[in-house]
Every structure is written in C-alpha cells, then in structure tokens.
Amino acid sequence: MSTRLEHLRSAREQKLTALRQAGIDPFGAPYPDRTPAADLHTAHANTSGEALDDAPVGVRVAGRIISLRPQGKAGFAHIQDGTGRIQLYLRLPELDPASALTWENLDLGDHVGAEGHLMRTRTGELTVRTTHLTMLAKALRPLPDKHAGLQDREERYRSRHLDLLTNSESRAVFAARSRIIAAIRRTLDGEGFLEVDTPILVPLAGGAAARPFLTHHNALDRDLSLRIATELHLKRLVVGGIERVYEIGRIFRNEGLSTRHNPEFTTLEAYQAYAGYREIMDLTERLIQAAALATNGTLQAGELDFSGPWRRITMAEAVRQQTGIDFTTLTTDEEARAAVADAGLSAGAATGATWGALLAHLFETHCEAALIQPTFVIGHPVETSPLARRDPHDPRLTERFELYVLGRELANAFSELNDPIDQRARFEAQLAERAAGNSEAHPLDEDFLAALEVGLPPTGGLGIGIDRLVMALTGAPAIRDVILFPVLRES
RNA sequence: GGACCGCUAGCUCAAUGGUAGAGCAUCCGACUCUUAAUCGGACGGUUGAAGGUUCGAGUCCUUCGCGGUCCA
C-alpha cells in the first residue's frame, strides 16, 4: 500500500476517532422507518416547494454520501440508497451537537441517516432539510472517481462492490439477471414443474462432454468430482415419477477462461415426461420470451428479435448453405471425407472422421457464427449426442435441437434416450473415444443405466445456459460482466 | 497455446529518449440555496516486476506477471 492511500485512510481514521471521543459510534445502530429515495421522488414529483413549506413533510432517509458540498455554515450532500439519490441540505446552527460533529467529520462514502423535512431548492430539486444527522457506518477507504466511476475492467471484476457502487450499468445487468431467473422459475412453476436440488459432489461426473474438477472426501476416503451437468440425476427423478422437474444450478467445468467461459456457471435443466424435443422447442420459446420480457419489457433486445416462431433449420441444411456440401446425399464415412476434401475444407478430425463427426465439425466451424437471430438447429449426428434418442427416420441422427443466438449456443435439448441397451452401447462408444485420447468423452455410469433399466418414460429434456442468456438479453460483451465474482488469476 | 493492445498518484487520464503532470479525491483556509459548487494554498509517485541499451529510460530491447481483444 502506498503512502498516499495510507494518508487518505489516516485522515478518515482521525475523523472516526473524533466521533468516538465525542461518544458517537461511527458504526451506528439500525436506522428503521426510513423512506427510500425513489419513493420520495415518486410521491412528491408534483408537490411544489410552497406546498412543502406550508405543510411540512417529515422524513427519514439513509444512504451513502456520494457528494459533499460544505458551504460555510451550511452544506449540501447527496446520498445514494438502493433505489436512487436524494439531496440533503443543512444549516450548522440548526443542528444538535452530535449532528454537527457528524457533519464536520463526514467523508464521501460514509453511510448516514438524515431526519428532517422535505423542501425544494431554488432550482427545484427535492431535498431533505436535515435537522438530525446520524453516522451509520464510516468508510475508511476512498470511493473511486465520482464522475468517471471505476473504469479498469480488472479492478471492476476483482472489486465488484466498487463496480456496483459506481457503475449503474453494472447494477442494471445483475438486476436483469435476477429478473430473468425469476421469470424462468415463474414460467416453469406455472406449468407444473417441480424444482429440485441434486448433488454437486458426485462420484462420476456425466451428462456433458467436459472435464470435471476433482476433490476428495476425507471421511469416506473417496474421490469425488464436481458435477458438469445436472442431467443424469434429473432423469433419475423422472424414472422416480416426477414427471416435470427442473433445476437451476451451478455447474463446474475444468476448462479455460474466455469471454464466453467461466469454470463455474449456471444452467437450467428441465425434463418433461411423455414429451419430445418438439414440445421442448415450444417450451424453450416460452421460457426465453418470458425472460426477454422480464429484462426489457419487450421481445426485442438490441438487434435481437425474440418474437416467434423462431427459424428452424437442420444442421445438414445449414452446412449445405455455407459450404455447398449436401450431407443428405452422402451415405458412407468415406464419401463424406472425400466430399470435404474435394471442397478443400479442413477435415478437423481428419482420417478416421465419420459422417456425423464431419457434419458436426463443419457446422461448428462454418455455420454457428452466422446464426444471429434466434434459430433452432435440428438433426444432430448420433456421435456427438450420446444421451439423445435416435431419429427413427434416420439412425445417423438424433431427435435434438440447439438454440443459437448471436452465434452462440444458448440452449440444447433432445428427446431423451430411454433405451438402456442403446444407452450402454453409446457409453461404450464414448469409452472407446476416451481410450483414443478424448478426455471429454462421457464416462460409463452404471447407476444411471440401472435407473434407465427400471424404465424412463419418453421424456423431453432441455438445458439453457443462464449466463449466456443474460449476456444476450442485456448486451453484455463478456460472461464476466454477468457473473458477480468471476474466476480470475491470482493478482 | 498464439498474435496484438494495455498497466503512470486513492480514482480518471497526460507526458518527441531530456526536471513525472492535470482533473477529481485528500489536508488547511474562506463561503448560509449548492449540485462536476466556487476561490486561495498544501500534501501525494519503486511509472506492474526484473534485467539490458544509453551521458540520460514512463518512453527503446529482453524476460516475467496481471488484464483486455481477436484467433486456436
């Protein structure tokens, strides 16, 4: 810590000591019966100064000092509470000794309570003419620049309290995040879904293609992982007869950091018995439209238009449009590899690549980024969809969709694979991939297979990345802007 | 993992290789309707870290750290 910061701090500590010596607690008692600033502005929007003088309105307000303009024997200040700002005006000779001492030892950032009556200044600003000023909490560190706010992005992530304090856009994003999650919960609850909590600590992390965080339980002397998805547990609940079930929860994937990736993030997963991916598509529209309305009051968000029905396109058609390769006319892996090579495109997984792997690869590299407006992509190859039901009309494909917005995957859903024999075979194919070096291949989960053998009804399942949804709806450029405390390197 | 950009006072930002500055904040003083209050004065720096080139480095070079952007 530099000498300068110490100097700033010691000035505040001296004031704190002065208050203590006068018997004033700088970290004061609760301050009940206050009126939020926004309520005062609303209630008195049309009350004239004369009316306030003729029939005084007594008020108590509380908040943080964000500007301070002493003026001889009088003074002005603005306080900010959770709802907004209001100005204080006081005249020193009218204050009791404790209030006067509090004023003299006030700093930007202090929490105060003010009691008085409402007035309007010459310029018409609604103001609390203060007669009693109470120190509620002294701030020992200075606030960031009062006009520019905290600009340094790193500091905004590392000191989120300062970011929230000084950047109203940041507060707005997190308020929107809360409304989005509430809207999703409200919609699902309204449709008869039961919200549950499933384990975060699991013996085997499955339900997605990702590497888990590993940990250890000492008492059981057992290695455990942090979940990478909620899928397998939720499907076990559907086996157990909970026909509509969902979880909004944190999941953890041991991967890198980027503007779209944080190692812990929030997903919604919802499962509906006797439904298929078509019904889930409609549910997805309802959920995201409710979230959009909760965010902006409309189905528009910047350049995005969430009014439905949304565009639907098969993965093969998207690839055909972008690359000219028509996978529906290719029947074997060899043909697919030859077509990709003829087109002069990078084959990705090169030599051993299958028809499905090539289709998925070309979609990822050539199509995703162009899907700006909400678009359902359907017809995913079975290789990349180990938990999805096979398409009865084309066994190379699954009954699955992904929702793309702004070139990013926002939701992923399918008719769940409920055939335990096929599921075991898919797991074994994944084990072969793992043996071939794919560390993200799905593990074989015997507990889950045992549940499937008891009988999972036909079920539609949905996963939505809540953080990316918040990004899309608020226009936040990075996932770190929608997660309060993102993972960062050690400073 | 790669390329590029950034890191200077508590905060926001300046500074052709030639004395490290401004605004806000802080401190002292003046001021009873100010609101980016005003006026007078003062304090405040290991320029992210370590090396190097140079008579002289915030600036040029190397390595490293942290962050950002774009790729993988």
Side-chain angles (χ1 to χ4, degrees):
Chain A
M1 193 179 287
S2 80
T3 54
R4 185 58 192 163
L5 185 52
E6 283 164 8
H7 177 73
L8 290 170
R9 190 188 161 101
S10 81
R12 286 164 182 257
E13 280 173 346
Q14 281 170 23
K15 294 178 184 176
L16 178 136
T17 303
L19 291 172
R20 281 218 160 106
Q21 283 174 348
I24 297 171
D25 184 354
F27 301 99
Y31 198 78
D33 303 322
R34 73 188 179 96
T35 306
D39 292 9
L40 291 175
H41 287 299
T42 304
H44 298 285
N46 300 312
T47 314
S48 70
E50 292 75 18
L52 291 171
D53 293 341
D54 293 344
V57 178
V59 291
R60 281 158 68 86
V61 294
R64 189 188 288 275
I65 299 285
I66 54 162
S67 70
L68 206 49
R69 294 179 295 284
Q71 198 163 356
K73 291 184 173 58
F76 290 89
H78 274 95
I79 62 171
Q80 174 174 297
D81 65 21
T83 66
R85 301 175 173 187
I86 192 157
Q87 182 169 253
L88 307 182
Y89 173 62
L90 54 79
R91 296 184 176 183
L92 274 175
E94 298 173 1
L95 294 181
D96 59 273
S99 295
L101 195 72
T102 298
W103 172 256
E104 282 159 13
N105 289 286
L106 207 53
D107 283 305
L108 290 176
D110 293 350
H111 288 277
V112 296
E115 190 175 333
H117 58 269
L118 290 175
M119 59 171 271
R120 283 198 186 276
T121 63
R122 265 177 208 161
T123 56
E125 179 169 352
L126 190 67
T127 298
V128 178
R129 175 77 180 262
T130 300
T131 49
H132 296 285
L133 187 67
T134 309
M135 179 65 74
L136 300 178
K138 187 105 192 101
L140 292 179
R141 288 174 185 258
L143 295 181
D145 187 276
K146 65 180 173 184
H147 311 302
L150 191 61
Q151 295 299 317
D152 186 272
R153 289 177 76 89
E154 179 176 1
E155 203 51 39
R156 289 178 50 201
Y157 299 142
R158 290 191 191 278
S159 301
R160 185 65 87 183
H161 51 289
L162 297 178
D163 176 39
L164 293 169
L165 215 47
T166 51
N167 298 320
S168 60
E169 326 81 68
S170 185
R171 287 197 297 277
V173 165
F174 291 105
R177 182 184 174 110
S178 172
R179 292 197 304 275
I180 287 165
I181 292 173
I184 288 172
R185 189 168 267 133
R186 198 158 53 234
T187 304
L188 289 167
D189 291 348
E191 298 195 16
F193 283 80
L194 185 75
E195 182 174 15
V196 298
D197 298 287
T198 65
I200 289 172
L201 289 173
V202 294
L204 196 64
R211 295 167 64 189
F213 285 92
L214 304 175
T215 186
H216 185 77
H217 188 264
N218 290 337
L220 294 177
D221 189 23
R222 180 187 196 191
D223 288 331
L224 294 170
S225 300
L226 272 56
R227 67 183 178 192
I228 57 173
T230 49
E231 172 152 358
L232 301 187
H233 280 101
L234 292 175
K235 282 199 257 194
R236 284 156 76 167
L237 296 177
V238 179
V239 171
I242 304 179
E243 295 182 351
R244 294 184 178 212
V245 65
Y246 76 98
E247 177 163 10
I248 295 172
R250 202 73 61 83
I251 64 174
F252 307 84
R253 295 184 182 177
N254 207 336
E255 57 195 19
L257 306 169
S258 81
T259 49
R260 292 181 301 282
H261 298 86
N262 192 64
E264 56 176 304
F265 59 102
T266 302
T267 60
L268 160 74
E269 285 196 36
Y271 292 85
Q272 181 176 341
Y274 308 111
Y277 77 116
R278 294 279 174 185
E279 288 74 32
I280 298 300
M281 230 181 251
D282 297 336
L283 174 64
T284 303
E285 275 195 11
R286 291 197 296 278
L287 287 171
I288 291 181
Q289 286 175 345
L293 284 173
T295 307
N296 301 312
T298 79
L299 293 176
Q300 275 66 47
E303 59 173 326
L304 299 174
D305 181 3
F306 286 97
S307 56
W310 300 337
R311 184 176 165 229
R312 299 177 181 195
I313 188 171
T314 65
M315 187 177 279
E317 176 58 16
V319 168
R320 192 191 63 78
Q321 287 179 8
Q322 293 292 327
T323 69
I325 302 175
D326 186 353
F327 271 72
T328 61
T329 64
L330 306 170
T331 50
T332 66
D333 295 343
E334 290 72 27
E335 279 179 29
R337 286 197 289 269
V340 171
D342 288 350
L345 300 171
S346 114
T351 42
T354 61
W355 180 90
L358 288 168
L359 173 61
H361 177 74
L362 289 181
F363 174 75
E364 205 173 296
T365 52
H366 288 80
C367 306
E368 275 187 17
L371 301 174
I372 303 302
Q373 296 298 333
T375 304
F376 287 120
V377 175
I378 59 179
H380 292 64
V382 70
E383 290 96 318
T384 57
S385 314
L387 300 164
R389 180 171 189 259
R390 236 177 254 272
D391 183 339
H393 306 296
D394 186 343
R396 296 176 301 182
L397 300 178
T398 54
E399 290 191 350
R400 176 181 178 187
F401 73 81
E402 288 180 301
L403 173 67
Y404 281 85
V405 176
L406 289 174
R408 299 193 280 254
E409 177 197 348
L410 218 59
N412 178 28
F414 32 86
S415 303
E416 301 299 332
L417 175 59
N418 65 346
D419 174 346
I421 297 159
D422 192 1
Q423 182 67 79
R424 181 175 293 277
R426 305 268 195 103
F427 278 159
E428 279 165 358
Q430 290 288 310
L431 287 185
E433 278 226 20
R434 179 167 293 239
N438 179 0
S439 58
E440 292 189 352
H442 202 287
L444 191 152
D445 189 328
E446 288 289 357
D447 290 341
F448 175 65
L449 285 172
L452 278 194
E453 289 175 5
V454 172
L456 174 71
T459 297
L462 168 67
I464 294 180
I466 296 292
D467 310 278
R468 289 181 181 184
L469 176 61
V470 175
M471 288 169 68
L473 291 177
T474 62
I479 199 168
R480 286 176 172 180
D481 296 317
V482 303
I483 292 177
L484 281 167
F485 299 101
V487 172
L488 299 170
R489 283 175 213 274
E490 251 182 292
S491 58

